[in-house]
Amino acid sequence: MSGSRIVALGHYQPPKVLTNDDLAALVDTDDEWIRSRVGIRTRHIAEDETLVDLATEAAQKALANSGRDAAEIDLVVVATCTAIERSPNTAAAVAARLGVRSPAAYDINTVCSGFSYALATADHAIRAGSARRALVIGAERMSDTLDWTDRSTCVIFGDGAGAAVVEAQAEGAEPGIGPVVWGSEPEKGDAVVITGWDPVISQQGQAVFRWATTQLAPLARQACERAGIDPAELKGFVPHQANLRIIDAIAKRLGLTDAVVARDVVDSGNTSAASIPLAFSKLVERGELSPGDPVLLFGFGGGLAYAGQVVRCP
């Protein structure tokens, strides 16, 4: 097998938008304080919609954009850290909603790097011949984890989902998903935690910022090297949408002066495992990237885990 490729993307965000001014009515903050620290101006918050609802909506759009039917899917992978139900897992619940017949279905939780991990495992399954066509979804209801009195976290996160249809390449064709660079620094895992039966997120913001801005660019460069591409050749860069200052710092260290850099964090906040497919799907939908363009995806965050790969734009 020559590998796999992304054939289509889709995304979904709940309709409720929470502005910085809205948050200023709840907690001691203001628009200038939030923008100067994380670059966010709005985020979407789910009300009646469940995590499965968000994931299903994004998956339906990806399927529609691909021209494939749910019956053609044989693997469903959902990256999430906010699933409430232990069984059935989110992937199985989404498959049931979509009418996918007898798929392999599993969830993966590496928090903010989850989509890149999920994409890599789907690519590996296809390369091994264990699957032919996969739905890879990143979906989060981060609002379920927020303490709305803690301005260090409640201003950062949002809800949403993004999805990709991934399928086998023809024999001899250039792979559309490059080798993954992944790993973690578990000894620093307490820098971002979601704990308890009634989960609440907390993080050491400065520690995460230093790690992301000093340690991740060389790892992102490794992903390019493994794909046989120079960073200067990239047409797009879609990192985890954690913080606008982090995104710009990594892009600068990679020398991405001509690439389209996703900055969806401004309008969507940090949506953890959903942020990469959500931002990627929006860039494609707006026509800012063209089919075949090399795009670097790079997730990082809780764990502290990271993963990245170069893909070809659908």
Side-chain angles (χ1 to χ4, degrees):
M1 192 67 63
S2 294
S4 67
R5 66 188 180 107
I6 297 173
V7 296
L9 297 158
H11 65 274
Y12 177 76
Q13 292 176 280
K16 180 179 179 180
V17 175
L18 199 65
T19 68
N20 291 342
D21 290 337
D22 293 332
L23 283 167
L26 300 174
V27 68
D28 181 19
T29 192
D30 57 45
D31 180 67
E32 190 280 330
W33 190 91
I34 297 170
R35 289 201 192 203
S36 65
R37 284 159 178 79
V38 292
I40 300 167
R41 63 186 182 191
T42 61
R43 69 286 293 148
H44 291 249
I45 301 296
E47 295 182 292
D48 298 328
E49 293 155 303
T50 67
L51 178 67
V52 174
D53 291 334
L54 302 178
T56 302
E57 289 281 353
Q60 286 175 326
K61 291 181 179 180
L63 280 171
N65 289 337
S66 73
R68 277 47 168 190
D69 186 82
E72 299 177 77
I73 300 295
D74 55 9
L75 172 62
V76 180
V77 188
V78 174
T80 186
C81 68
T82 53
I84 296 173
E85 289 76 17
R86 269 56 172 178
S87 180
N89 62 31
T90 308
V94 171
R97 292 269 192 96
L98 295 173
V100 180
R101 301 168 187 165
S102 305
Y106 60 88
D107 292 357
I108 191 166
N109 178 7
T110 60
V111 201
C112 304
S113 59
F115 182 78
S116 283
Y117 267 81
L119 185 63
T121 63
D123 175 55
H124 297 165
I126 291 171
R127 286 175 180 270
S130 299
R132 289 286 303 173
R133 186 170 288 116
L135 262 176
V136 182
I137 305 164
E140 302 283 18
R141 263 192 62 131
M142 294 303 295
S143 59
D144 286 342
T145 72
L146 297 180
D147 174 357
W148 292 102
T149 67
D150 178 7
R151 75 170 183 173
S152 69
T153 54
C154 75
V155 304
I156 296 173
F157 296 96
D159 302 333
V165 176
V166 179
E167 65 181 31
Q169 284 276 61
E171 193 65 39
E174 180 185 3
I177 298 176
V180 67
V181 171
W182 55 8
S184 65
E185 296 190 28
E187 68 279 4
K188 299 177 183 178
D190 60 354
V192 183
V193 297
I194 303 174
T195 57
W197 287 103
D198 185 12
V200 175
I201 190 168
S202 62
Q203 65 176 5
Q204 300 168 20
Q206 287 302 312
V208 175
F209 183 86
R210 285 193 299 272
W211 173 71
T213 55
T214 61
Q215 303 299 311
L216 297 184
L219 297 168
R221 190 176 295 276
Q222 280 185 33
C224 294
E225 291 172 356
R226 291 191 184 181
I229 189 170
D230 189 278
E233 299 175 81
L234 291 171
K235 297 297 185 183
F237 176 44
V238 186
H240 167 49
Q241 302 292 292
N243 176 310
L244 189 58
R245 291 191 295 157
I246 291 174
I247 292 167
D248 289 342
I250 297 174
K252 183 177 180 180
R253 290 196 65 190
L254 291 172
L256 304 182
T257 56
D258 297 324
V260 175
V261 178
R263 295 182 174 89
D264 188 51
V265 66
V266 173
D267 299 314
S268 301
N270 180 340
T271 56
S272 188
S275 76
I276 287 177
L278 181 61
F280 193 11
S281 179
K282 287 183 179 182
L283 291 178
V284 172
E285 185 176 79
R286 293 195 298 260
E288 295 184 45
L289 293 169
S290 300
D293 281 350
V295 179
L296 172 61
L297 312 182
F298 197 83
F300 56 88
L304 294 169
Y306 56 84
Q309 60 269 96
V310 175
V311 304
R312 293 288 171 173
C313 187

